[in-house]
Amino acid sequence: MLRPSSVGDFKTKAILAISLLITGCPKSDKIIGEEVAKLTAPPEVPPPITRKHNTKVIVHLEVLEKRMKIADGVDYTFWTFGGTVPGSFIRIKEGDLVEFHLSNHPTSKMPHNIDLHAVTGPGGGASASMTAPGRETIFSFKALNHGLFVYHCAAAPIGMHVGNGMYGLILVEPKEGLPKVDREHYVMQGDFYTKGKYGEQGYQPFSMEKAIEEKPTYVLFNGSVGALNGDKALPAKVGETVRLYVGNGGPNLTSSFHLIGEIFEKVYVEGGTSVNRNLATTTVPAGGAAIVEFKIDVPGTYIMVDHAILRAFNKGALGMIKAEGPEDKIIYSGLISERVYLPEGGALPKTPEAEVRIAKSLEERIRMGQTIYEQNCTACHQADGRGVPHAFPPLANSDFLNADKTRAIGIVKGGLSGPIVVNGESYNGVMPALSLTDEEVANVLTYVYSAWGNSKQTVTPEEAAKVKPSGVVGIGQ
Amino acid sequence: MSKRKSLLALALVLAVTCGADQKNKASAPEFKGESVYNIETIWLDPSGKEIRLADFHGKKILMTMIYTHCQYTCPLMIAKLKEIETDLKKKGVRNYKIVLASFDHERDNPRRVAEYLKERKINREPWTMLSPRSAADVRELAAVLGITYAKEKEGGFAHSNRLVYLDKEGVPRKALDGVKADHKDLVAFMANDRK
Amino acid sequence: MLHVLTLAFIFFTAHANQIKPRLVQIPGGELKPFWIAPTDITGEQEKIRIPPFHAMNLPVTNSEYVDFVRANPKWRKSKIKRIFADPSYLEQFASDLRLKKEIHPRAPVTYVSWFAARAYCESHGLRLPSLAEWEYLGAASETKADASEDPDYLARLIEWYNKPPGSGPVPPVGRGKPNYYGLYDLHGLIWEWIEDFNSSLISGESRTNGSIERELVCAAGSLAGGNKENYPAFMRFAFRSSLKGTSTIRNLGFRCVKGERNE
């Protein structure tokens, strides 16, 4: 993270030294020298500011309209600050004078501008920065207040500009700097509105209707499904204190930001000065931010979610922090044992059974199976059967599934836990037993086998009836 | 049509005034690329005389656009210009013009404009006001000065209040937006501008 | 193989479907202004009456523009005065009268300033359309004169506005379907200049909501937005408000109209 100071740094230091000789002590808000801000793409954060004085900071930010992946097999045209969603991270110091250069690439279709919430003045810079394609606008402002602020495009129609990803974070460090931590990362949530439904393949245009109705197709951290998952999980080590700069671009939703299995020891609430302690979930409003800090005590994968939880499991608002290091069974034991529980008085009385519909043809079996799948399976295995990398195994094109129909029936009836290998990837999770009738088991499996390049085997209720539930603990052990 | 006429008029003027030493400049004289003098449209001064922006060549110009039936901020703009006039005098700035150009080609003929200047007590140096001959000419000048406007239903104009300083070569150097903006920098800039 | 097919296809369409440029008669009518426009004292947004006029069925093309600068040296790339166009004026031209190799002569001329577009129309005894006229033409879908409230039509426009810009040359004119009036390419290919591009009194900043600052703007009525659900109209509005008369942009061209000036 830390870099050796550059020549420019040296120059300003020299000037500072000379001015110190002359004035005796640094005037707190005197602007000394100038430097070009180093911006970073998410999830990187520029290094902490080490200079003690204020300077003129020149920021160059370029607007690019570009087609990028929003989910596997799904493309979307993002409008970006700096080529990424969220846009480049800007880091300055309270009292700095910022000369802001906003350029709009000549290939852009739209004019854009920028409203930085760190700016004091009407429009926050937006009215001074309306920039046509192939042009650049320049304005300046003084960073009067410290904090973590959102910046965004405010050109008409603003909902579309923000909805296409035109936002990012600017950190104005307090004069004395922020306390030192071991790692810093940049995470920003946003909601997206596409014409097709979640996961619908191919190029997907923006949907004005869904945006106005505030019905997002995707809710994402850092601009795409899985941007912070698997290999792209944020790294950390046991014993380290991690600071996340969390933003929410919106345009519509407020985030209930939560890191599963961690407690934020410190939260700079909504990115401001007041610090709250020991929160598990913190609110990040649309157009707002929060700084959260936590110490990693136990290794493992920590999942960050918007705890409005359907957004995490159905719309993509899920990211990961992978912590390496020694275990500590006192702080967290993991599973110690698991056994059968029989309450006194026996099982619950049975509710009268609804009329059972029986599939009359293969087509009908598949159709009914799809409904069961959508109600019971999509949360984990996803609507497209691709699962979630490193968390939930795929059913699409699955060697594990196609190899053994009987095993599959057993798993649907009885659940599954323990390590398995699917398409060369290993998984170690828990699938609960589903309380389905034999008819329903046959339908859902026949649907799954008929979809996504699977083997097209059929499963009949009779076959389903013959197979015993696999038992929660079992396979692979 | 009007352009062809104006070119013809220009050619005539050149033919009469320039004589033999101007034979290489059959069209317009060469001005800097950024100069508003490149605009060839003809306006009318309060005496009804035809005038082109290039006729101000060699003078610093403060230019804005108003219309005489305007009851909202145009009077404030004139008040602002009077303040600037006083401050420029203090700084010893002399060789300049305050040029008001009208949005209203239907009503602001030279006679009406002359009356207006008299009413406002600005029928004197360094003030003048130009009457447009067509809506197209107004649109062009506004585009050059970065002024936005739209015609309103009752014949008035909604317009932005912008004052532009053009140097002696007709190049826009500085602008003041709004009728209450601080003009200190503008006055200092004009006083120090040797161009 | 694929390449050969594509080429053959282009060859075929270019010859079979080449649309001849002409002026199309546009019947008069009314337009509900859905951009932000001055209103009268009562705040009513009245319909604007559009008298009949004629409009070019196609945007002006590169090759037509070459003819124009051949006849009018003042507007050549090397001669243009900076006050009339930005430095990227006619970026697609290799020299004063020649296009770059990859540029299609029948592609719409772009990288033209408002001053240049105006001069072109004037040289043909025409003029640029007014904001109201352009929006009147642009409201027409293939089948309806006014599709400005047709959700399918709006969705299609949004798709274009939102499509990746790409960096290749602009495609030729007249490839799509004509609209209700028989005009091509009002949407989907380029933006187009209008005569009163500088008539919007509030900036493209999205949030001023039609309120104006008295100090900055002089106006009798107030300014109000129309249909807030017409995003394409707002995008055009924002685009225009970002322009200067000198702006020269990769996907901004123009077409001319004939008829009494109407602002």
Side-chain angles (χ1 to χ4, degrees), chain C residues 50-178:
Chain C
I50 310 282
F53 62 107
H54 286 76
M56 283 182 167
N57 63 333
L58 299 166
V60 173
T61 63
N62 279 316
S63 72
E64 288 165 337
Y65 202 81
V66 169
D67 294 341
F68 165 68
V69 292
R70 187 174 285 125
N72 298 275
K74 178 181 163 186
W75 295 100
R76 288 179 191 173
K77 192 178 158 97
S78 67
K79 297 266 167 36
I80 187 89
K81 299 281 187 187
R82 205 39 72 231
I83 195 147
F84 295 134
D86 284 353
S88 62
Y89 177 65
L90 298 183
E91 180 96 350
Q92 76 279 34
F93 278 49
S95 62
D96 273 350
L97 301 174
R98 243 186 19 186
L99 298 173
K100 285 181 181 163
K101 219 171 48 234
E102 69 276 15
I103 302 297
H104 201 294
R106 273 183 60 81
V109 64
T110 57
Y111 290 114
V112 278
S113 65
W114 177 80
F115 295 100
R118 241 171 151 236
Y120 178 96
C121 294
E122 202 175 318
S123 77
H124 288 79
L126 307 171
R127 61 175 174 82
L128 288 175
S130 68
L131 169 63
E133 285 168 339
W134 199 98
E135 290 292 335
Y136 182 68
L137 299 175
S141 65
E142 290 89 341
T143 52
K144 276 187 272 188
D146 183 3
S148 62
E149 281 171 16
D150 172 350
D152 292 340
Y153 180 63
L154 293 182
R156 267 194 294 143
L157 293 191
I158 284 187
E159 240 175 274
W160 177 67
Y161 289 128
N162 210 21
K163 215 159 53 184
S167 49
V170 182
V173 299
R175 285 284 170 82
K177 279 192 184 157

Side-chain angles (χ1 to χ4, degrees), chain A residues 65 67 77 79 107 109-111 115 123 126 130 132-133 135 152 154-158 160 164 195 203 205-206 208, chain C residues 86 158-167 191 204-207 229 231 234-235 238-239 241-242 247 249-251:
Chain A
E65 297 170 2
R67 188 164 159 162
T77 303
W79 296 348
T107 58
K109 248 180 198 162
M110 294 292 158
D115 167 354
M130 193 68 177
R135 293 187 80 99
H152 63 91
I158 184 169
M160 190 164 170
N164 281 346
K195 193 173 163 195
Y203 176 71
F206 170 79
M208 185 182 79
Chain C
D86 284 353
I158 284 187
E159 240 175 274
W160 177 67
Y161 289 128
N162 210 21
K163 215 159 53 184
S167 49
W191 301 101
E205 238 249 68
S206 201
R207 304 155 302 172
E229 298 198 2
Y231 275 27
F234 274 89
M235 277 185 268
F239 185 82
S241 84
S242 78
S247 298
I249 295 175
R250 183 181 162 274
N251 52 13

